Structure formats: C-alpha cells, structure tokens
Amino acid sequence: MTGGARVAVVTGGANGIGLACVRRLSDDGFTVVVADTDAEAGARVTAEIPRAEFVASDVRVRQDVDRVVGTALEIGRGRLHALVNNAGQTARVRFADSDETTWRRLHDVNLHSVFSFTHACLAGLTAGRGAVVSVASVAGLVGAEDLSAYSSAKAGIIALTRSLALEHGDVIRFNAVCPGQIATRMMARVQADDELRAAVTAQIPAGRLGRPEEVAGVVAWLLSDGAGYVNGVAIAVDGGESAGFRRPKPAAAVRRRG
Ligand SMILES: NC(=O)c1ccc[n+]([C@@H]2O[C@H](COP(=O)([O-])OP(=O)(O)OC[C@H]3O[C@@H](n4cnc5c(N)ncnc54)[C@H](O)[C@@H]3O)[C@@H](O)[C@H]2O)c1
Ligand SMILES: O=S(=O)(O)c1ccc(CO)cc1
C-alpha cells in the first residue's frame, strides 16, 4: 500500500458483527464509512470510534448507496481499499407460510445490497486495488429449516463472491465469511431462552455461541495483505458447527452443558 488514507465501507456497521468490523478496521488504521439505518447507534459509532464516519442509509435504496460510496470516494480521493457487505436481516417462517413481501425484503437487504454496493464501489476498488468481504452465513453453505428466503439469499452471496473473484481477481479480491451462531441481537431469541441456547450450543463443537469480534478478526485478515493470495473463498466462522453431523445428546445432558 502506498501512502494516503486507507478507506473502508462497512454496511450494517452500527451494531453486532458490522460494528465489531468497524472497530477492528479502525484499529488497523482504516478510515471507515459506516452505512446503516440505525441513526441512534450510528451517532455512537461516530462519537466513539476514531476515523469512523456514519451515513444514515438504507442498503435497499440506490440513492443511499451512491451517497455512502460518494462519501467514501471523497475521503479516499477516488480510491477505496475495503468493502464489507455485512447488512442483513432474517425472518423465521415455514416456506408454505411465507409471503412475497418478506421474501423480497430478505433478498433485497441480504443479497441485492451486495450487488448495489459492489457495483458502486468497483471503480474505487480498482483504483485502490482493494478487497471485498461479504458476510454470508453457514445457512448459505447448507439449507436452513424455516429460513428459506434467508439461506437462499446467503447462498447467492457466496456464488456472487466466487463469480466476482473470477471476473476481477487480477485487481480486487472477493471473499465471504459464513458465521454460525454469533451473540448479536439477531440471536436474541437463542440467548434469552436457556433451553434453546443449550440445544443450539450442543450442536456446536466449540460449545458456545461465537463473539462478533471473532468474525471481525477473520474479515480483517481477509482484507489484509496477509490474505493477498486468497480469492473466491467462503470461510465458515462457526465453532465447527458446519464440519459435519454430531451425535444427538439426551435432553438431560444438553441441559447440564447449557
Ligand atoms: N448473528 C449471527 O448469528 C449471524 C450468523 C450468520 C450470519 N450473520 C450475518 O451477519 C450480518 C450481521 O448480522 P448481526 O448478527 O450483526 O445482526 P444485527 O442485527 O446485530 O446487525 C445488523 C445491522 O444491519 C443493519 N441493517 C439491517 N437492515 C439494514 C438496511 N436495510 N440498511 C442498512 N442497514 C441495515 C441493522 O440496523 C444493524 O445495525 C448479517 O448479514 C447476518 O445475516 C449473522
Ligand atoms: O433466526 S434464527 O433461527 O435464530 C437464525 C439462525 C441462524 C442464522 C445464521 O445466519 C440466522 C438466524
């Protein structure tokens, strides 16, 4: 990297995994432009994290995307060095009971936003010889019961990542991370219910939920020169959950572990 500010864009960076990425990239010296709908949390990001700039924006709205990327390009004087496509939403519903509005919302927020941000950042990333990490999910590596819209959107992110790595791999690296069950508000239901948490953690070799910082560490590495020859991969960050089948435990043993 030669001189000047290194500029990163992080979507959904006001909370959870995105916020951990913003903190980590700031520690690594990046100026970070944060896109999120949550203006209250965004104000805290600007106040507390050095070199973080919050832009209230919805990743589904193309004018908002262009405003965020315009801010980043202005800071980087036409060059961008990192993009983290992290914004996401989920909804648990049986496929038979699902409706078109929810399906479109989940695909717009989780998948179409990766198209919009990547497309808008492409020239800047080419000029900066940057890297992109998109936050998919283990639900995109396998199927996920009651999460068909979410898991299909996340599978789309993984396929898009690989396609972009093939098209742009001489200049920009494109990789994905696939978190398992990470302790953020997306997992509030699991964290609040002792029995459910015990059942969930029983499926995870690590025996616990992951921390947002543990995902951010992998994201930061994928964006670093240390990963300079890593392109087009989807890395599970899931405490081993997607490694294979686990033997079911009797309920009493699960409760003891919880
Ligand atoms: N927590 C997990 O267990 C887990 C597992 C796998 C993948 N993921 C993925 O990680 C990413 C981050 O999730 P999280 O767990 O930190 O959740 P979170 O709810 O804590 O954070 C998501 C952030 O995205 C923002 N956001 C949502 N919709 C937006 C929109 N339309 N425009 C702009 N910002 C928007 C939210 O305001 C929030 O700040 C998501 O893509 C999620 O699918 C999470
Ligand atoms: O909605 S949940 O079933 O709690 C759920 C499980 C896993 C993931 C992983 O992305 C997201 C939501």
Side-chain angles (χ1 to χ4, degrees):
M1 191 79 51
T2 47
R6 283 186 304 158
V7 182
V9 174
V10 179
T11 70
N15 297 284
I17 293 169
L19 176 60
C21 290
V22 175
R23 287 209 169 97
R24 175 59 196 266
L25 294 179
S26 168
D27 286 349
D28 289 352
F30 282 92
T31 296
V32 191
V33 177
V34 179
D36 206 296
T37 43
D38 187 344
E40 213 174 294
R44 286 194 294 275
V45 168
T46 312
E48 291 167 16
I49 304 177
R51 292 178 302 283
E53 178 141 348
F54 178 70
V55 181
S57 49
D58 188 323
V59 295
R60 292 170 294 182
V61 178
R62 186 62 198 231
Q63 294 95 309
D64 284 11
V65 175
D66 291 339
R67 205 159 37 83
V68 171
V69 176
T71 303
L73 285 168
E74 211 173 295
I75 296 169
R77 289 194 235 129
R79 286 167 206 251
L80 300 178
H81 306 94
L83 167 63
V84 182
N85 290 306
N86 164 79
Q89 295 178 14
T90 186
R92 286 191 71 78
V93 60
R94 238 31 215 169
F95 180 75
D97 300 326
S98 62
D99 60 80
E100 185 137 356
T101 309
T102 308
W103 182 276
R104 279 194 193 280
R105 174 172 59 84
L106 293 188
H107 273 247
D108 282 350
V109 174
N110 290 293
L111 177 57
H112 192 87
S113 67
V114 179
F115 158 76
S116 307
F117 268 90
T118 305
H119 200 257
C121 286
L122 213 49
L125 288 166
T126 302
R129 300 192 75 81
V132 178
V133 177
S134 297
V135 181
S137 167
V138 288
L141 291 169
V142 294
E145 196 175 10
D146 298 339
L147 291 171
S148 56
Y150 179 81
S151 68
S152 56
K154 294 301 191 182
I157 291 178
I158 295 166
L160 177 58
T161 295
R162 294 192 172 125
S163 301
L164 291 169
L166 292 171
E167 286 190 30
H168 295 278
D170 54 336
V171 182
I172 308 171
R173 293 182 300 105
F174 288 88
N175 292 295
V177 290
C178 299
Q181 320 260 346
I182 311 299
T184 69
R185 66 184 188 179
M186 194 175 270
M187 284 296 135
R189 194 178 61 99
V190 173
Q191 294 177 85
D193 177 335
D194 287 350
E195 206 157 339
L196 180 58
R197 196 180 63 244
V200 165
T201 53
Q203 296 306 314
I204 305 172
R208 62 171 176 84
L209 300 184
R211 293 185 287 275
E213 297 73 25
E214 291 174 308
V215 181
V218 179
V219 170
W221 174 71
L222 284 169
L223 293 173
S224 75
D225 290 346
Y229 204 54
V230 180
N231 199 12
V233 305
I235 299 180
V237 187
D238 66 350
E241 188 181 5
S242 62
F245 295 112
R246 298 204 90 199
R247 194 178 304 136
K249 310 271 186 306
V254 168
R255 271 197 297 276
R256 273 198 305 278
R257 276 192 73 177

